[in-house]
């Protein structure tokens, strides 16, 4: 089971879509405060549809509280458009942590500095855009990780 971490999510529709993706891929969702919305926001529920009740979700007041539950920080991968390494070059493992920042600015340098540079990953993209939508970014990375994990079971 993968662990999807959203640090200070701002847009309820994105979080709802990611929650739905987590239910569909049997991944856990970890949400780190503060949020840009109320967790029972109707838009969050609309995006997550009726799947939200099936979601394995945990909330944390801050990054420090979340880090206390991470057993191995070498298996934490942070997505950043400024990273040097592509997520496509990582060999994902069951129970990995995939971390995404807030929609407006991504992960703070303070959060990135908590982990090795090798754990900071980018999603390759055209130079015509700054970043992908966070829900799409999560889908790309979770899809690749799940593909690799399913290959390992054959």
């Amino acid at each position: 089971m993968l662990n999807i971490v959203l640090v200070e999510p701002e847009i309820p529709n994105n979080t709802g879509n990611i929650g739905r993706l987590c239910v569909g891929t049997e991944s856990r969702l970890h949400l780190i405060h503060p949020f840009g919305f109320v967790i029972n926001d109707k838009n969050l529920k609309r995006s997550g549809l009726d799947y939200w009740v099936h979601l394995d979700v945990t909330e944390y007041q801050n990054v420090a509280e979340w880090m206390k539950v991470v057993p191995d920080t070498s298996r934490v991968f942070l997505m950043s458009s400024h990273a040097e390494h592509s997520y496509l070059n990582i060999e994902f493992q069951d129970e990995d942590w995939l971390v995404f920042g807030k929609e407006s600015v991504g992960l703070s340098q303070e959060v990135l500095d908590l982990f090795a540079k090798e754990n900071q990953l980018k999603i390759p993209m055209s130079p015509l855009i700054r970043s992908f939508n966070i829900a799409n970014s999560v889908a790309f990375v979770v899809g690749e990780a799940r593909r690799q994990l399913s290959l390992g079971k054959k």
Side-chain angles (χ1 to χ4, degrees):
M1 184 174 281
L2 295 168
N3 293 286
I4 311 309
V5 181
L6 303 183
V7 179
E8 301 179 7
E10 299 170 313
I11 301 173
N13 292 18
N14 287 334
T15 302
N17 285 324
I18 293 165
R20 183 175 181 172
L21 177 72
C22 286
V23 172
T25 60
E26 298 179 325
S27 300
R28 292 182 198 99
L29 182 60
H30 304 265
L31 301 173
I32 300 176
H33 285 268
F35 304 156
F37 53 88
V38 176
I39 200 72
N40 63 4
D41 186 288
K42 68 179 180 178
N43 292 326
L44 178 69
K45 289 182 180 176
R46 182 181 302 138
S47 298
L49 299 173
D50 55 346
Y51 303 107
W52 197 259
V53 297
H54 303 292
L55 180 62
D56 182 350
V57 60
T58 305
E59 293 181 40
Y60 305 89
Q61 291 307 306
N62 52 50
V63 171
E65 182 181 340
W66 162 68
M67 286 191 65
K68 290 178 186 175
V69 304
V70 176
D72 179 2
T73 58
S74 74
R75 299 310 308 172
V76 175
F77 298 101
L78 303 101
M79 304 308 140
S80 171
S81 60
H82 305 292
E84 296 175 18
H85 306 287
S86 170
Y87 81 102
L88 295 169
N89 297 328
I90 297 298
E91 291 184 25
F92 292 105
Q93 298 176 13
D94 194 28
E95 300 295 328
D96 277 351
W97 299 79
L98 309 175
V99 183
F100 300 82
K102 63 172 114 179
E103 291 89 340
S104 63
V105 295
L107 291 167
S108 70
Q109 192 61 50
E110 181 180 292
V111 171
L112 291 170
D113 288 345
L114 295 171
F115 299 89
K117 287 272 189 205
E118 299 79 41
N119 292 60
Q120 299 172 26
L121 307 175
K122 67 180 175 183
I123 299 171
M125 67 184 103
S126 162
L128 299 175
I129 62 171
R130 283 187 312 277
S131 63
F132 288 109
N133 171 280
I134 189 172
N136 292 335
S137 296
V138 174
F140 289 147
V141 180
V142 169
E144 174 60 16
R146 294 271 306 187
R147 183 192 70 80
Q148 289 181 20
L149 293 171
S150 69
L151 288 176
K153 292 180 181 179
K154 291 183 179 181

